[in-house]
Amino acid sequence: MTAGLFTIPLWIDLLAVGIGSVQGAAFAAQFRDRRLDLLGVAIIGIATGFGGGLIRDILLGQVPLALRSNWYLPVAVAAALLGMLLQRLVHRLGVTINILDAVTIGMFGAIGTTKALALGLPVVPAVFVGSVAAVGGSILRDLLLNLPIAIMQVGSLYAVAAIVGTSTLVVLDALGVDVLIAGIVCVVVTFGVRVLAVAFHWTLPEQRHLPTGAIRIVRRPRRPGPGR
Amino acid sequence: MTAGLFTIPLWIDLLAVGIGSVQGAAFAAQFRDRRLDLLGVAIIGIATGFGGGLIRDILLGQVPLALRSNWYLPVAVAAALLGMLLQRLVHRLGVTINILDAVTIGMFGAIGTTKALALGLPVVPAVFVGSVAAVGGSILRDLLLNLPIAIMQVGSLYAVAAIVGTSTLVVLDALGVDVLIAGIVCVVVTFGVRVLAVAFHWTLPEQRHLPTGAIRIVRRPRRPGPGR
Amino acid sequence: MTAGLFTIPLWIDLLAVGIGSVQGAAFAAQFRDRRLDLLGVAIIGIATGFGGGLIRDILLGQVPLALRSNWYLPVAVAAALLGMLLQRLVHRLGVTINILDAVTIGMFGAIGTTKALALGLPVVPAVFVGSVAAVGGSILRDLLLNLPIAIMQVGSLYAVAAIVGTSTLVVLDALGVDVLIAGIVCVVVTFGVRVLAVAFHWTLPEQRHLPTGAIRIVRRPRRPGPGR
């Protein structure tokens, strides 16, 4: 396994964080009944912008990268306020932003996966950490807005794109491909899956169960499930 | 304090994770309005299966054990998909699964508590960490499904069973009992409390307050509480 | 940057934790439909009492301070049960408790910020960590109660008070002021902003967007936003 890191220049990372924050704030703007104030918008921006990176580093036992620089927080907050003010523009630019976002999750996935590999994690958890880095911000956003987690619901492949991209990365890495090339392929694959999924409405199947005949169920009064 | 760990073979740990994942997925299946897709089911399986272990290791400042092996993630995902497909069977097997689950939380509690003690935590936080390891998965499950946290509500003792079991463990440990025996007693006690609670509908009292007379309340227009 | 810590005696820290727990439990008591049992109340007390400190230490890569002593858990649980029993008294004492709480968030902010600085974090993340330490408990409380996060909504400045206080601290610290004095100023400023905000109903503006004319929006059928 490589100890190489797929890294990107700070300004690109900050740009990616900003894209996430703009989106998070514009998304939150749809929920006016939440009565978010400016701080609430800033918090959503922070969560969406680098929440995935926070979770990644906490899982890896590291002080989060975004807290080791003065840049991440102001960028996320400014981008969130911009996204709030220009929410209509952001919604009109939906396609453009989906495209930028697809690049972003590809990059976050590649950074997270190579960081996990470099710290000695096996390949399966490395894919997990990279995917969480890519989509964790959107999970945090939904938790903080008290909404169902979007990536767990039927919808155009988003987390799946990150999983496919980061899986490709670990395969290439195991084959000895240079980490820079593997990382770029990860971004391209993630981007491709995500954009094609949006274009062609690819979705995962909804949860289902085997037909009742198959397990010879006997109708009886409903019992409480094993939830508690 | 001992530095001994109560450990179990990997395959038993994975079996316990699988039991948690099956349950989590079957539980989630009740909420069809959530429109979970297969990834959503897998995420619930991961959260329920080893979410408690993730929180335990994050609290202890360690890279989570489940991320240091290639096994945990596939087992949790496969078990979740199985639980989804066979959800009716799982609900029919409610009693069996409750019993298996009671053993599981006992084991997770014993592992978590002895790990905390071995890392030098005092006894009270060690009981806390062990109990969180036992029931943290169910908390994460409810958070991700945007549901009230089941273990905080009136219901058959579940977290309480883990607290009683792990408390027994630290007492035995303080008395110099071998960690293997203390751990087994923890599993047995947790199992016993849980199963008896389900059988006899033991519950904790619901939240209440002292009768108003006792504090001579004067009726007045309701003021906002100290919530914010 | 200083490596000095603003510390307070253990008993004051425990008192602050207790105040948070009392409040959390009394707050939770308003939601009887949640059917919380005594354990649920205890969990809310723990989350509100030292949840901010837990998040602070996890972000800083440390085993949480509250888990390195036997005192925090019993104090938080006992205070929560007291807050539950005396919830009417607590609500009647709203003003007093708001005042005590304002001191508490000031102290938690000062402790968190100086701890972050001492561990080498830059000033902006140090303000972030201190503010999260101050208000993170209330975020956890709302997450666990499945409520909208109060500090993100329009309301009397609470998190803002902590941000202003901790920002003052880092400025003073950069100017070479002794950490003890800077910490005390932080507490006083946080307290002042919070109490004045409650007294005069100071709030942050609600989220808004630029007037549509400014971005020449063309009315068209609403498209889904970039949420997924």
Side-chain angles (χ1 to χ4, degrees), chain B residues 59 122 124-125 146 149 152-154 205-208 210 212 227-228, chain C residues 32 34-38 64 70 84-85 88 141 146 150 153 194:
Chain B
L59 287 176
V124 175
N146 205 11
I149 312 292
M152 289 170 49
Q153 297 182 305
V154 176
E206 193 168 344
Q207 63 172 344
R208 60 190 57 186
L210 291 181
T212 57
R228 167 84 186 265
Chain C
R32 299 198 65 83
R34 290 294 192 287
R35 301 214 60 210
L36 295 187
D37 65 13
L38 298 189
N70 276 329
M84 176 194 75
L85 289 173
R88 300 201 171 195
R141 175 199 73 187
N146 205 9
Q153 295 182 306
R194 169 62 175 160

PDB file of all heavy atoms in Angstrom, chain B residues 59 122 124-125 146 149 152-154 205-208 210 212 227-228, chain C residues 32 34-38 64 70 84-85 88 141 146 150 153 194:
ATOM      1  N   LEU B  59     -14.294   8.393  21.663  1.00  0.00           N
ATOM      2  CA  LEU B  59     -14.194   8.921  23.031  1.00  0.00           C
ATOM      3  C   LEU B  59     -12.852   8.558  23.661  1.00  0.00           C
ATOM      4  O   LEU B  59     -12.304   9.319  24.454  1.00  0.00           O
ATOM      5  CB  LEU B  59     -15.324   8.363  23.908  1.00  0.00           C
ATOM      6  CG  LEU B  59     -16.725   8.929  23.649  1.00  0.00           C
ATOM      7  CD1 LEU B  59     -17.751   8.207  24.511  1.00  0.00           C
ATOM      8  CD2 LEU B  59     -16.780  10.432  23.925  1.00  0.00           C
ATOM      9  N   PRO B 122     -11.006   6.338  34.884  1.00  0.00           N
ATOM     10  CA  PRO B 122     -11.572   5.957  36.175  1.00  0.00           C
ATOM     11  C   PRO B 122     -12.835   5.110  35.972  1.00  0.00           C
ATOM     12  O   PRO B 122     -13.353   5.003  34.856  1.00  0.00           O
ATOM     13  CB  PRO B 122     -11.919   7.307  36.821  1.00  0.00           C
ATOM     14  CG  PRO B 122     -11.169   8.342  36.036  1.00  0.00           C
ATOM     15  CD  PRO B 122     -11.024   7.780  34.657  1.00  0.00           C
ATOM     16  N   VAL B 124     -16.087   5.323  36.857  1.00  0.00           N
ATOM     17  CA  VAL B 124     -17.383   5.865  36.419  1.00  0.00           C
ATOM     18  C   VAL B 124     -17.393   6.130  34.909  1.00  0.00           C
ATOM     19  O   VAL B 124     -18.295   5.666  34.198  1.00  0.00           O
ATOM     20  CB  VAL B 124     -17.771   7.124  37.229  1.00  0.00           C
ATOM     21  CG1 VAL B 124     -19.048   7.739  36.691  1.00  0.00           C
ATOM     22  CG2 VAL B 124     -17.933   6.785  38.715  1.00  0.00           C
ATOM     23  N   PRO B 125     -16.404   6.852  34.390  1.00  0.00           N
ATOM     24  CA  PRO B 125     -16.380   7.004  32.928  1.00  0.00           C
ATOM     25  C   PRO B 125     -16.224   5.677  32.196  1.00  0.00           C
ATOM     26  O   PRO B 125     -16.723   5.532  31.068  1.00  0.00           O
ATOM     27  CB  PRO B 125     -15.157   7.894  32.666  1.00  0.00           C
ATOM     28  CG  PRO B 125     -14.803   8.495  33.959  1.00  0.00           C
ATOM     29  CD  PRO B 125     -15.366   7.664  35.047  1.00  0.00           C
ATOM     30  N   ASN B 146     -33.893  10.221  11.876  1.00  0.00           N
ATOM     31  CA  ASN B 146     -34.670  11.395  12.275  1.00  0.00           C
ATOM     32  C   ASN B 146     -35.849  10.992  13.165  1.00  0.00           C
ATOM     33  O   ASN B 146     -36.952  11.516  13.037  1.00  0.00           O
ATOM     34  CB  ASN B 146     -35.153  12.121  11.010  1.00  0.00           C
ATOM     35  CG  ASN B 146     -35.421  13.595  11.256  1.00  0.00           C
ATOM     36  OD1 ASN B 146     -35.061  14.114  12.309  1.00  0.00           O
ATOM     37  ND2 ASN B 146     -36.043  14.251  10.310  1.00  0.00           N
ATOM     38  N   ILE B 149     -34.967   9.351  20.053  1.00  0.00           N
ATOM     39  CA  ILE B 149     -34.024   8.324  20.477  1.00  0.00           C
ATOM     40  C   ILE B 149     -34.754   7.314  21.365  1.00  0.00           C
ATOM     41  O   ILE B 149     -35.185   7.650  22.471  1.00  0.00           O
ATOM     42  CB  ILE B 149     -32.868   8.958  21.284  1.00  0.00           C
ATOM     43  CG1 ILE B 149     -32.299  10.195  20.565  1.00  0.00           C
ATOM     44  CG2 ILE B 149     -31.791   7.928  21.570  1.00  0.00           C
ATOM     45  CD1 ILE B 149     -31.584   9.919  19.307  1.00  0.00           C
ATOM     46  N   MET B 152     -34.042   6.706  25.157  1.00  0.00           N
ATOM     47  CA  MET B 152     -34.331   7.783  26.107  1.00  0.00           C
ATOM     48  C   MET B 152     -35.794   7.787  26.520  1.00  0.00           C
ATOM     49  O   MET B 152     -36.200   8.551  27.397  1.00  0.00           O
ATOM     50  CB  MET B 152     -33.958   9.144  25.504  1.00  0.00           C
ATOM     51  CG  MET B 152     -32.453   9.329  25.398  1.00  0.00           C
ATOM     52  SD  MET B 152     -31.975  10.799  24.437  1.00  0.00           S
ATOM     53  CE  MET B 152     -33.010  12.048  25.171  1.00  0.00           C
ATOM     54  N   GLN B 153     -36.582   6.936  25.866  1.00  0.00           N
ATOM     55  CA  GLN B 153     -38.018   6.925  26.131  1.00  0.00           C
ATOM     56  C   GLN B 153     -38.404   5.756  27.013  1.00  0.00           C
ATOM     57  O   GLN B 153     -37.662   4.778  27.133  1.00  0.00           O
ATOM     58  CB  GLN B 153     -38.771   6.828  24.800  1.00  0.00           C
ATOM     59  CG  GLN B 153     -38.533   8.032  23.910  1.00  0.00           C
ATOM     60  CD  GLN B 153     -39.326   7.940  22.641  1.00  0.00           C
ATOM     61  OE1 GLN B 153     -39.225   6.959  21.923  1.00  0.00           O
ATOM     62  NE2 GLN B 153     -40.100   8.958  22.346  1.00  0.00           N
ATOM     63  N   VAL B 154     -39.589   5.869  27.593  1.00  0.00           N
ATOM     64  CA  VAL B 154     -40.098   4.772  28.404  1.00  0.00           C
ATOM     65  C   VAL B 154     -40.148   3.509  27.540  1.00  0.00           C
ATOM     66  O   VAL B 154     -40.657   3.530  26.417  1.00  0.00           O
ATOM     67  CB  VAL B 154     -41.507   5.106  28.932  1.00  0.00           C
ATOM     68  CG1 VAL B 154     -42.071   3.921  29.700  1.00  0.00           C
ATOM     69  CG2 VAL B 154     -41.446   6.336  29.821  1.00  0.00           C
ATOM     70  N   PRO B 205     -39.399   4.881  35.474  1.00  0.00           N
ATOM     71  CA  PRO B 205     -40.491   5.855  35.502  1.00  0.00           C
ATOM     72  C   PRO B 205     -40.279   6.925  34.432  1.00  0.00           C
ATOM     73  O   PRO B 205     -39.152   7.234  34.051  1.00  0.00           O
ATOM     74  CB  PRO B 205     -40.372   6.490  36.894  1.00  0.00           C
ATOM     75  CG  PRO B 205     -39.510   5.584  37.687  1.00  0.00           C
ATOM     76  CD  PRO B 205     -38.634   4.856  36.720  1.00  0.00           C
ATOM     77  N   GLU B 206     -41.407   7.460  33.962  1.00  0.00           N
ATOM     78  CA  GLU B 206     -41.346   8.582  33.039  1.00  0.00           C
ATOM     79  C   GLU B 206     -40.932   9.833  33.813  1.00  0.00           C
ATOM     80  O   GLU B 206     -41.091   9.894  35.027  1.00  0.00           O
ATOM     81  CB  GLU B 206     -42.735   8.781  32.414  1.00  0.00           C
ATOM     82  CG  GLU B 206     -42.727   9.715  31.229  1.00  0.00           C
ATOM     83  CD  GLU B 206     -44.046   9.666  30.450  1.00  0.00           C
ATOM     84  OE1 GLU B 206     -44.813   8.707  30.664  1.00  0.00           O
ATOM     85  OE2 GLU B 206     -44.277  10.580  29.643  1.00  0.00           O
ATOM     86  N   GLN B 207     -40.411  10.810  33.088  1.00  0.00           N
ATOM     87  CA  GLN B 207     -40.016  12.040  33.780  1.00  0.00           C
ATOM     88  C   GLN B 207     -41.227  12.660  34.473  1.00  0.00           C
ATOM     89  O   GLN B 207     -42.337  12.608  33.972  1.00  0.00           O
ATOM     90  CB  GLN B 207     -39.371  13.036  32.805  1.00  0.00           C
ATOM     91  CG  GLN B 207     -40.275  13.528  31.698  1.00  0.00           C
ATOM     92  CD  GLN B 207     -39.636  14.650  30.904  1.00  0.00           C
ATOM     93  OE1 GLN B 207     -38.669  15.252  31.324  1.00  0.00           O
ATOM     94  NE2 GLN B 207     -40.181  14.940  29.732  1.00  0.00           N
ATOM     95  N   ARG B 208     -41.013  13.228  35.612  1.00  0.00           N
ATOM     96  CA  ARG B 208     -42.096  13.826  36.380  1.00  0.00           C
ATOM     97  C   ARG B 208     -41.519  14.969  37.187  1.00  0.00           C
ATOM     98  O   ARG B 208     -40.321  15.178  37.223  1.00  0.00           O
ATOM     99  CB  ARG B 208     -42.707  12.791  37.299  1.00  0.00           C
ATOM    100  CG  ARG B 208     -41.708  12.209  38.298  1.00  0.00           C
ATOM    101  CD  ARG B 208     -42.302  11.034  39.014  1.00  0.00           C
ATOM    102  NE  ARG B 208     -42.733  10.031  38.054  1.00  0.00           N
ATOM    103  CZ  ARG B 208     -43.403   8.924  38.363  1.00  0.00           C
ATOM    104  NH1 ARG B 208     -43.729   8.701  39.617  1.00  0.00           N
ATOM    105  NH2 ARG B 208     -43.735   8.045  37.449  1.00  0.00           N
ATOM    106  N   LEU B 210     -42.010  17.371  41.018  1.00  0.00           N
ATOM    107  CA  LEU B 210     -42.613  17.384  42.342  1.00  0.00           C
ATOM    108  C   LEU B 210     -43.974  18.056  42.245  1.00  0.00           C
ATOM    109  O   LEU B 210     -44.182  18.933  41.421  1.00  0.00           O
ATOM    110  CB  LEU B 210     -41.711  18.144  43.321  1.00  0.00           C
ATOM    111  CG  LEU B 210     -40.403  17.428  43.631  1.00  0.00           C
ATOM    112  CD1 LEU B 210     -39.596  18.240  44.628  1.00  0.00           C
ATOM    113  CD2 LEU B 210     -40.667  16.036  44.172  1.00  0.00           C
ATOM    114  N   THR B 212     -46.941  20.516  42.576  1.00  0.00           N
ATOM    115  CA  THR B 212     -46.769  21.966  42.564  1.00  0.00           C
ATOM    116  C   THR B 212     -46.858  22.553  43.956  1.00  0.00           C
ATOM    117  O   THR B 212     -46.181  23.524  44.275  1.00  0.00           O
ATOM    118  CB  THR B 212     -47.844  22.626  41.687  1.00  0.00           C
ATOM    119  OG1 THR B 212     -49.116  22.223  42.202  1.00  0.00           O
ATOM    120  CG2 THR B 212     -47.723  22.168  40.255  1.00  0.00           C
ATOM    121  N   GLY B 227     -34.529  27.780  27.620  1.00  0.00           N
ATOM    122  CA  GLY B 227     -34.038  26.934  26.524  1.00  0.00           C
ATOM    123  C   GLY B 227     -32.983  27.612  25.718  1.00  0.00           C
ATOM    124  O   GLY B 227     -32.093  27.000  25.163  1.00  0.00           O
ATOM    125  N   ARG B 228     -33.057  28.897  25.643  1.00  0.00           N
ATOM    126  CA  ARG B 228     -32.097  29.605  24.807  1.00  0.00           C
ATOM    127  C   ARG B 228     -31.576  30.791  25.548  1.00  0.00           C
ATOM    128  O   ARG B 228     -32.344  31.607  25.983  1.00  0.00           O
ATOM    129  CB  ARG B 228     -32.851  30.052  23.530  1.00  0.00           C
ATOM    130  CG  ARG B 228     -32.126  31.047  22.698  1.00  0.00           C
ATOM    131  CD  ARG B 228     -31.160  30.346  21.796  1.00  0.00           C
ATOM    132  NE  ARG B 228     -30.351  31.326  21.077  1.00  0.00           N
ATOM    133  CZ  ARG B 228     -30.622  31.784  19.844  1.00  0.00           C
ATOM    134  NH1 ARG B 228     -31.628  31.331  19.186  1.00  0.00           N
ATOM    135  NH2 ARG B 228     -29.824  32.654  19.283  1.00  0.00           N
TER     136      ARG B 228
ATOM    137  N   ARG C  32     -43.353  16.655  26.962  1.00  0.00           N
ATOM    138  CA  ARG C  32     -43.853  15.436  27.591  1.00  0.00           C
ATOM    139  C   ARG C  32     -44.233  14.397  26.552  1.00  0.00           C
ATOM    140  O   ARG C  32     -44.251  13.197  26.841  1.00  0.00           O
ATOM    141  CB  ARG C  32     -45.037  15.748  28.505  1.00  0.00           C
ATOM    142  CG  ARG C  32     -44.643  16.707  29.633  1.00  0.00           C
ATOM    143  CD  ARG C  32     -45.653  16.675  30.763  1.00  0.00           C
ATOM    144  NE  ARG C  32     -45.674  15.394  31.420  1.00  0.00           N
ATOM    145  CZ  ARG C  32     -44.818  15.020  32.382  1.00  0.00           C
ATOM    146  NH1 ARG C  32     -43.913  15.851  32.801  1.00  0.00           N
ATOM    147  NH2 ARG C  32     -44.908  13.839  32.929  1.00  0.00           N
ATOM    148  N   ARG C  34     -42.471  13.447  24.306  1.00  0.00           N
ATOM    149  CA  ARG C  34     -41.302  12.617  24.013  1.00  0.00           C
ATOM    150  C   ARG C  34     -41.256  11.381  24.903  1.00  0.00           C
ATOM    151  O   ARG C  34     -40.505  10.458  24.654  1.00  0.00           O
ATOM    152  CB  ARG C  34     -39.998  13.402  24.215  1.00  0.00           C
ATOM    153  CG  ARG C  34     -39.745  14.478  23.215  1.00  0.00           C
ATOM    154  CD  ARG C  34     -39.522  13.899  21.825  1.00  0.00           C
ATOM    155  NE  ARG C  34     -38.991  14.899  20.903  1.00  0.00           N
ATOM    156  CZ  ARG C  34     -39.686  15.894  20.385  1.00  0.00           C
ATOM    157  NH1 ARG C  34     -40.950  16.034  20.690  1.00  0.00           N
ATOM    158  NH2 ARG C  34     -39.130  16.748  19.538  1.00  0.00           N
ATOM    159  N   ARG C  35     -42.052  11.387  25.974  1.00  0.00           N
ATOM    160  CA  ARG C  35     -42.103  10.263  26.922  1.00  0.00           C
ATOM    161  C   ARG C  35     -40.715   9.856  27.405  1.00  0.00           C
ATOM    162  O   ARG C  35     -40.395   8.662  27.493  1.00  0.00           O
ATOM    163  CB  ARG C  35     -42.831   9.062  26.304  1.00  0.00           C
ATOM    164  CG  ARG C  35     -44.268   9.418  25.892  1.00  0.00           C
ATOM    165  CD  ARG C  35     -45.190   8.262  26.083  1.00  0.00           C
ATOM    166  NE  ARG C  35     -45.230   7.826  27.474  1.00  0.00           N
ATOM    167  CZ  ARG C  35     -45.462   6.568  27.842  1.00  0.00           C
ATOM    168  NH1 ARG C  35     -45.662   5.639  26.936  1.00  0.00           N
ATOM    169  NH2 ARG C  35     -45.494   6.238  29.112  1.00  0.00           N
ATOM    170  N   LEU C  36     -39.891  10.831  27.722  1.00  0.00           N
ATOM    171  CA  LEU C  36     -38.574  10.531  28.285  1.00  0.00           C
ATOM    172  C   LEU C  36     -38.722   9.813  29.610  1.00  0.00           C
ATOM    173  O   LEU C  36     -39.573  10.163  30.419  1.00  0.00           O
ATOM    174  CB  LEU C  36     -37.803  11.827  28.543  1.00  0.00           C
ATOM    175  CG  LEU C  36     -37.405  12.673  27.346  1.00  0.00           C
ATOM    176  CD1 LEU C  36     -36.521  13.813  27.804  1.00  0.00           C
ATOM    177  CD2 LEU C  36     -36.695  11.829  26.300  1.00  0.00           C
ATOM    178  N   ASP C  37     -37.868   8.823  29.836  1.00  0.00           N
ATOM    179  CA  ASP C  37     -37.821   8.234  31.164  1.00  0.00           C
ATOM    180  C   ASP C  37     -36.622   8.828  31.924  1.00  0.00           C
ATOM    181  O   ASP C  37     -35.951   9.739  31.423  1.00  0.00           O
ATOM    182  CB  ASP C  37     -37.786   6.703  31.107  1.00  0.00           C
ATOM    183  CG  ASP C  37     -36.524   6.153  30.459  1.00  0.00           C
ATOM    184  OD1 ASP C  37     -35.564   6.910  30.263  1.00  0.00           O
ATOM    185  OD2 ASP C  37     -36.510   4.947  30.137  1.00  0.00           O
ATOM    186  N   LEU C  38     -36.375   8.319  33.125  1.00  0.00           N
ATOM    187  CA  LEU C  38     -35.322   8.924  33.947  1.00  0.00           C
ATOM    188  C   LEU C  38     -33.967   8.847  33.252  1.00  0.00           C
ATOM    189  O   LEU C  38     -33.148   9.766  33.355  1.00  0.00           O
ATOM    190  CB  LEU C  38     -35.250   8.223  35.311  1.00  0.00           C
ATOM    191  CG  LEU C  38     -36.512   8.312  36.169  1.00  0.00           C
ATOM    192  CD1 LEU C  38     -36.238   7.766  37.569  1.00  0.00           C
ATOM    193  CD2 LEU C  38     -37.018   9.740  36.247  1.00  0.00           C
ATOM    194  N   PRO C  64     -11.640  13.105  26.367  1.00  0.00           N
ATOM    195  CA  PRO C  64     -12.381  14.176  27.037  1.00  0.00           C
ATOM    196  C   PRO C  64     -12.063  14.273  28.532  1.00  0.00           C
ATOM    197  O   PRO C  64     -12.026  13.263  29.237  1.00  0.00           O
ATOM    198  CB  PRO C  64     -13.836  13.789  26.806  1.00  0.00           C
ATOM    199  CG  PRO C  64     -13.813  13.020  25.535  1.00  0.00           C
ATOM    200  CD  PRO C  64     -12.519  12.257  25.564  1.00  0.00           C
ATOM    201  N   ASN C  70     -13.958  10.908  37.980  1.00  0.00           N
ATOM    202  CA  ASN C  70     -15.198  10.247  38.372  1.00  0.00           C
ATOM    203  C   ASN C  70     -16.324  11.236  38.686  1.00  0.00           C
ATOM    204  O   ASN C  70     -17.452  10.819  38.962  1.00  0.00           O
ATOM    205  CB  ASN C  70     -14.960   9.368  39.605  1.00  0.00           C
ATOM    206  CG  ASN C  70     -14.410   7.999  39.224  1.00  0.00           C
ATOM    207  OD1 ASN C  70     -14.723   7.481  38.153  1.00  0.00           O
ATOM    208  ND2 ASN C  70     -13.590   7.429  40.095  1.00  0.00           N
ATOM    209  N   MET C  84     -35.282  18.049  36.712  1.00  0.00           N
ATOM    210  CA  MET C  84     -36.556  17.440  36.335  1.00  0.00           C
ATOM    211  C   MET C  84     -37.579  17.602  37.458  1.00  0.00           C
ATOM    212  O   MET C  84     -38.710  18.043  37.239  1.00  0.00           O
ATOM    213  CB  MET C  84     -36.334  15.959  36.038  1.00  0.00           C
ATOM    214  CG  MET C  84     -37.589  15.185  35.715  1.00  0.00           C
ATOM    215  SD  MET C  84     -37.295  13.386  35.775  1.00  0.00           S
ATOM    216  CE  MET C  84     -37.226  13.110  37.550  1.00  0.00           C
ATOM    217  N   LEU C  85     -37.165  17.249  38.691  1.00  0.00           N
ATOM    218  CA  LEU C  85     -38.093  17.303  39.823  1.00  0.00           C
ATOM    219  C   LEU C  85     -38.553  18.738  40.089  1.00  0.00           C
ATOM    220  O   LEU C  85     -39.708  18.979  40.425  1.00  0.00           O
ATOM    221  CB  LEU C  85     -37.431  16.728  41.076  1.00  0.00           C
ATOM    222  CG  LEU C  85     -37.223  15.212  41.071  1.00  0.00           C
ATOM    223  CD1 LEU C  85     -36.406  14.790  42.281  1.00  0.00           C
ATOM    224  CD2 LEU C  85     -38.571  14.493  41.069  1.00  0.00           C
ATOM    225  N   ARG C  88     -40.579  23.270  37.639  1.00  0.00           N
ATOM    226  CA  ARG C  88     -41.392  24.487  37.739  1.00  0.00           C
ATOM    227  C   ARG C  88     -40.606  25.604  38.414  1.00  0.00           C
ATOM    228  O   ARG C  88     -40.673  26.756  38.023  1.00  0.00           O
ATOM    229  CB  ARG C  88     -42.661  24.199  38.516  1.00  0.00           C
ATOM    230  CG  ARG C  88     -43.461  23.123  37.819  1.00  0.00           C
ATOM    231  CD  ARG C  88     -44.902  23.142  38.205  1.00  0.00           C
ATOM    232  NE  ARG C  88     -45.602  22.225  37.311  1.00  0.00           N
ATOM    233  CZ  ARG C  88     -46.908  22.197  37.168  1.00  0.00           C
ATOM    234  NH1 ARG C  88     -47.670  23.023  37.847  1.00  0.00           N
ATOM    235  NH2 ARG C  88     -47.463  21.356  36.333  1.00  0.00           N
ATOM    236  N   ARG C 141     -28.123  18.596  22.912  1.00  0.00           N
ATOM    237  CA  ARG C 141     -29.437  18.466  23.542  1.00  0.00           C
ATOM    238  C   ARG C 141     -30.552  18.467  22.497  1.00  0.00           C
ATOM    239  O   ARG C 141     -31.430  17.595  22.496  1.00  0.00           O
ATOM    240  CB  ARG C 141     -29.641  19.649  24.506  1.00  0.00           C
ATOM    241  CG  ARG C 141     -30.998  19.725  25.157  1.00  0.00           C
ATOM    242  CD  ARG C 141     -31.273  21.133  25.693  1.00  0.00           C
ATOM    243  NE  ARG C 141     -31.537  22.067  24.594  1.00  0.00           N
ATOM    244  CZ  ARG C 141     -31.685  23.389  24.725  1.00  0.00           C
ATOM    245  NH1 ARG C 141     -31.551  23.946  25.912  1.00  0.00           N
ATOM    246  NH2 ARG C 141     -31.928  24.151  23.667  1.00  0.00           N
ATOM    247  N   ASN C 146     -34.457  15.591  19.067  1.00  0.00           N
ATOM    248  CA  ASN C 146     -35.067  15.635  17.742  1.00  0.00           C
ATOM    249  C   ASN C 146     -35.803  16.960  17.520  1.00  0.00           C
ATOM    250  O   ASN C 146     -36.896  17.002  16.967  1.00  0.00           O
ATOM    251  CB  ASN C 146     -36.040  14.451  17.588  1.00  0.00           C
ATOM    252  CG  ASN C 146     -36.241  14.045  16.151  1.00  0.00           C
ATOM    253  OD1 ASN C 146     -35.535  14.524  15.269  1.00  0.00           O
ATOM    254  ND2 ASN C 146     -37.192  13.174  15.905  1.00  0.00           N
ATOM    255  N   ALA C 150     -31.725  25.158  18.517  1.00  0.00           N
ATOM    256  CA  ALA C 150     -32.156  26.490  18.954  1.00  0.00           C
ATOM    257  C   ALA C 150     -31.155  27.578  18.572  1.00  0.00           C
ATOM    258  O   ALA C 150     -31.546  28.649  18.118  1.00  0.00           O
ATOM    259  CB  ALA C 150     -32.385  26.495  20.465  1.00  0.00           C
ATOM    260  N   GLN C 153     -31.458  29.357  15.261  1.00  0.00           N
ATOM    261  CA  GLN C 153     -32.680  30.079  14.928  1.00  0.00           C
ATOM    262  C   GLN C 153     -32.652  31.487  15.512  1.00  0.00           C
ATOM    263  O   GLN C 153     -31.882  31.787  16.420  1.00  0.00           O
ATOM    264  CB  GLN C 153     -33.876  29.331  15.511  1.00  0.00           C
ATOM    265  CG  GLN C 153     -34.060  27.971  14.887  1.00  0.00           C
ATOM    266  CD  GLN C 153     -35.271  27.270  15.428  1.00  0.00           C
ATOM    267  OE1 GLN C 153     -35.412  27.125  16.640  1.00  0.00           O
ATOM    268  NE2 GLN C 153     -36.141  26.842  14.546  1.00  0.00           N
ATOM    269  N   ARG C 194     -24.607  38.540  26.312  1.00  0.00           N
ATOM    270  CA  ARG C 194     -25.746  37.663  26.481  1.00  0.00           C
ATOM    271  C   ARG C 194     -26.868  38.332  27.291  1.00  0.00           C
ATOM    272  O   ARG C 194     -28.035  38.310  26.907  1.00  0.00           O
ATOM    273  CB  ARG C 194     -25.297  36.365  27.160  1.00  0.00           C
ATOM    274  CG  ARG C 194     -26.406  35.457  27.635  1.00  0.00           C
ATOM    275  CD  ARG C 194     -27.294  34.961  26.522  1.00  0.00           C
ATOM    276  NE  ARG C 194     -28.282  34.001  27.014  1.00  0.00           N
ATOM    277  CZ  ARG C 194     -29.394  33.683  26.386  1.00  0.00           C
ATOM    278  NH1 ARG C 194     -29.670  34.222  25.212  1.00  0.00           N
ATOM    279  NH2 ARG C 194     -30.231  32.819  26.894  1.00  0.00           N
TER     280      ARG C 194
END
